Amino acid sequence: MDPAATSQISHLALDIGGTLIKLVYFSANGDHCEDSRSNEISVVHGKLCFAKFETKKIDDCLEFIRFNILHHSGVQHQNGMAHDKLSVKATGGGAFKFADLFKEKLGILLDKEDEMCSLVGGVNFLLKTVPREAFTYLDGQKEFVEIDHNDLYPYLLVNIGSGVSMIKVDGDGKYERISGTSLGGGTFLGLGKLLTKCESFDELLELSHHGNNRVIDMLVGDIYGGTDYSKIGLSSTAIASSFGKAISDGKELEDYQPEDVARSLLRMISNNIGQIAYLNALRFGLKRILFGGFFIRGLEYTMDTISVAVHFWSRGEAKAMFLRHEGFLGALGAFTSYKTQSHNDLKSNQHTVQRPILNCSGDNFRHIPVTSNLNDSETIECSISLV
Amino acid sequence: MDPAATSQISHLALDIGGTLIKLVYFSANGDHCEDSRSNEISVVHGKLCFAKFETKKIDDCLEFIRFNILHHSGVQHQNGMAHDKLSVKATGGGAFKFADLFKEKLGILLDKEDEMCSLVGGVNFLLKTVPREAFTYLDGQKEFVEIDHNDLYPYLLVNIGSGVSMIKVDGDGKYERISGTSLGGGTFLGLGKLLTKCESFDELLELSHHGNNRVIDMLVGDIYGGTDYSKIGLSSTAIASSFGKAISDGKELEDYQPEDVARSLLRMISNNIGQIAYLNALRFGLKRILFGGFFIRGLEYTMDTISVAVHFWSRGEAKAMFLRHEGFLGALGAFTSYKTQSHNDLKSNQHTVQRPILNCSGDNFRHIPVTSNLNDSETIECSISLV
C-alpha cells in the first residue's frame, strides 16, 4: 500500500465513481536534471503510480492520501491537513458529491474535471505515449496493436464503470457521448451480490471463472430440442434467453451453484455491452472500439465475451480492443489536465503558469513494456517537465 | 377454459416457445352461408379464440386440445386420439422439440412453420385485418394508430418472448431477422424467480407494479451528489447503473422488498430492449417499431418504459407501437398459413386443395372493436371461406 514511501510525491488525480475511487499520482525518483531545450525547464524522472478504493470505503482512501501522498509531498500540516488550500484534479460524480469531505478532512480542494473529457484525455494519453497499451483478445490470443498516431481517430470509447458510457472520439478534446447503458459493472456486482452473497468484485469474478452458464441460460437448442435454428444463423449453443432455464427448472436460488450464476451474469452483461457498442460503432462508421473501465480487469473470459459479441454482430467487420491501464482512464485524463498549469499547483492553486508539464508526445515519457497483466501497483515509468 | 364448448372447432395453430405455448383456433357459430361469388365456397361465421399454457405444463395443453378441440372438431377417437393422422400448424422451437409427444399422445402431426415467417405473418394479418389493433403508449396515453395498408412497410418487429428477435419487415413474406437479444421475458422471469421467489410471470408483474426501482438502481444523482450531469443530458433521476445500489447498501437480498427488485428488473429489461430496438431501427432507417410477444402483456409500465427508451434514444424521431394481440403473433401467423390449404386439413392432411380459406384482405373478416385490454379469452370475430 505504500509504493511512495521513499519518494517525493506530486500531482495526484482522482476519479471518484459510483463504485470505485481510482488514484493516479507521480512519484519522483529524485534524479532531477536540466532539459537541454530550455533553461527554464527541469525534467524529473519517476513513475505514475495507481491505486483504487471502494467508494463506500472512502475513509480508507482519505487515509491513504493523508499518509502516503500528503506526507511525501511535503504539504502536510501537523494535523494531517494540507498547509494551504491544496488543489487536486478530480473527476467522476464523486468529485461533486465528496468535495466537502475532502476539504474538511484533508484540506484538499477538488479541482473538478469533466468526466467524459477526462476519460478521453486518459485514453489519448495512453495510446499516444505508452507502447503496447492497446490489444485485441480473441480465442485466448492476446495481440498488441500498434496504432499510428496519425490514424488514431475516430474511435469509439466504451467505458464500463458502474454504468456504461459510449463516447465517439474524433480528436484531442473532440468527443461526444453518443450512448450508454445502465447494465454495467454495478449491475454485475449488484445482482451478483444479491444472487451469490459474494462480497466483492474480485470474489464474483473468481466465482464466474469456475462456472458454466449453460446450467441456467436457455440455449437455442433447449427450445429447438437440441437442433440449431440454422435458417437465421443461430446455433443450438447460442443463448436464447439469459437466465431462461430458471423459469422451468423447478429450482430455487439455493439449488444453483453460485459459480454458474456468476458466469451467466458476466456473460449476459458483457455480451449486451458488446452488442450495444457495436450498434453504435456501426451508426457512426467506427471500426475501432476501445473498451475500458474497471469492469474488465484484464479478465480473459470478459474480454473474450465482448470480443465475440462484437465479432458476431459485426460479422467480423469491427474489432474490440482493450487497454492495459483500462481501469484508470478517467484518473489519467484528470492527471494530464495538469499539463496546462504549474507543477506548483499541488502545493497551492495560487501560482498557475500556462505551460505544459506533462508532454504527451512521448518525448518525456519512457515506458518499460510490461508483459504481465496490470495490477494495481504496476506503474508507468516516465519523466515530467517542471517549470 | 372451454370457450369452444358449444361450437364446431376447426383450424388449430400452435406456437410452442421456450416459456409459453400459444394456441389460436377457429370456432364456428354454426351459421354457414353460401358465398355469393362462388358456388364452391361457403362462408362460416365464427371467431378466432386464444389460449396459452406454460411450456413446462405441456400436459395441460395436450389435455386442453384433447377435450376442447379434438372433441369439438369431431375427429376424436375413443382413446382421445385423432381418428386419422391429424395435421396441425405449429411454430416455435417446441414444434420440433415436442413433435413426437403430440403424435404419441394425441395422434397429431405438427406441420412446422418457420418461427420468423409466422411472426411476420401474424403481424401483417393483424395490421391489415383487425381495426384498432396497433397503438402507441406514452405518459399514460394510449392512442390507436390507423395504418394505411399501402404504407405498411417497412417496419421493425420486436418480438419479446423468452429471448428477443428483431425482424425488419419489407413486405408480405419479405423479412430478415437483423438482430435480437438474450435479455428477454425469460430473463425477467428467470432472474425474477431467483430474486423474489415468485412463481409466475403474472405474480412477478403484479409485484413490479407496486415497487420503486430507485431503491436499488444507482441513479446519476446518487453518483453526482444529487445533481444532474447536465453537460451530457443526464438528469439526476436517470438510471446510471441498474441494481447498482445493491453494491454499497450493505443489504442482503432479504433486506429488499421483492416489489422493488421486480420493478428494477422490469425497468432494466424493458429499457434495454427499447434501446437495442431503436439502434436497429436507426440502422435501417425504420421509423415504425412494433413490439410484440407475451412479455408485454398490455402492462402500462412496461409499455411506458419501452416507449420512453425509444423516445429518449431517438430524441423523439422514432415511435414504439404495440399490438392488442401481441402475445399470439406466431400462432396467428401459423394459423394464416392454412390459407393455401383446405379446411379439411384439420381432419386429415390427405385432402389438400390450394385455395385460400383465410382471406386476410378484410373481406371475410369482421372485427368488433374491443376497447378493453385483451385477455386470453378475448376473441376476434371473423368469417372464413370453406371449399
Side-chain angles (χ1 to χ4, degrees), chain B residues 49-168:
Chain B
C49 301
F50 303 91
K52 73 167 202 298
F53 297 87
E54 289 182 64
T55 306
K56 68 178 177 184
K57 296 181 181 169
I58 193 165
D59 286 341
D60 292 351
C61 175
L62 294 172
E63 286 307 294
F64 179 85
I65 293 173
R66 187 198 311 277
F67 287 108
N68 293 292
I69 299 181
L70 292 188
H71 177 70
H72 292 284
S73 66
V75 297
Q76 195 175 32
H77 198 259
Q78 279 172 334
N79 62 1
M81 304 269 283
H83 279 293
D84 303 309
K85 280 181 198 159
L86 173 66
S87 177
V88 161
K89 296 287 183 188
T91 189
F96 296 83
K97 186 174 180 177
F98 298 113
D100 289 345
L101 188 71
F102 274 81
K103 191 173 161 192
E104 182 192 322
K105 297 264 185 177
L106 297 178
I108 285 179
L109 293 179
L110 297 186
D111 186 10
K112 299 169 194 70
E113 293 290 325
D114 177 72
E115 187 173 339
M116 299 303 133
C117 184
S118 297
L119 286 170
V120 172
V123 176
N124 284 347
F125 163 74
L126 288 170
L127 292 178
K128 287 178 179 175
T129 313
V130 182
R132 297 168 71 84
E133 176 64 33
F135 59 93
T136 58
Y137 192 92
L138 203 56
D139 300 330
Q141 292 295 315
K142 183 176 182 173
E143 266 184 44
F144 284 101
V145 180
E146 286 306 318
I147 299 174
D148 180 353
H149 293 191
N150 299 317
D151 189 28
L152 181 57
Y153 310 107
Y155 64 84
L156 180 67
L157 170 61
V158 180
N159 190 65
I160 315 175
S162 303
V164 182
S165 281
M166 301 191 183
I167 308 165
K168 180 165 77 84

Side-chain angles (χ1 to χ4, degrees), chain A residues 250-359:
Chain A
K251 291 186 188 174
E252 302 210 349
L253 182 54
E254 298 70 31
D255 301 325
Y256 288 101
Q257 296 297 321
E259 290 84 351
D260 298 333
V261 172
R263 184 81 160 197
S264 289
L265 203 53
L266 183 59
R267 182 85 183 254
M268 176 179 92
I269 289 172
S270 303
N271 192 50
N272 194 60
I273 293 170
Q275 180 181 12
I276 295 176
Y278 161 68
L279 285 167
N280 278 291
L282 188 70
R283 187 177 158 194
F284 293 101
L286 310 170
K287 297 263 175 186
R288 205 177 266 160
I289 311 177
L290 282 157
F291 290 86
F294 241 115
F295 173 71
I296 300 170
R297 303 292 287 278
L299 192 80
E300 296 177 357
Y301 186 70
T302 308
M303 295 191 291
D304 207 54
T305 302
I306 290 174
S307 297
V308 166
V310 169
H311 189 267
F312 174 82
W313 291 109
S314 74
R315 292 173 177 154
E317 287 287 305
K319 268 205 172 174
M321 287 166 55
F322 304 93
L323 297 164
R324 286 181 49 250
H325 295 85
E326 63 200 4
F328 296 94
L329 304 180
L332 276 165
F335 190 96
T336 61
S337 69
Y338 275 117
K339 66 183 177 183
T340 57
Q341 298 179 350
S342 161
H343 175 57
N344 290 326
D345 264 15
L346 189 67
K347 295 191 179 160
S348 160
N349 64 352
Q350 304 301 308
H351 312 97
T352 56
V353 180
Q354 297 300 311
R355 286 198 70 156
I357 64 115
L358 256 181
N359 185 342

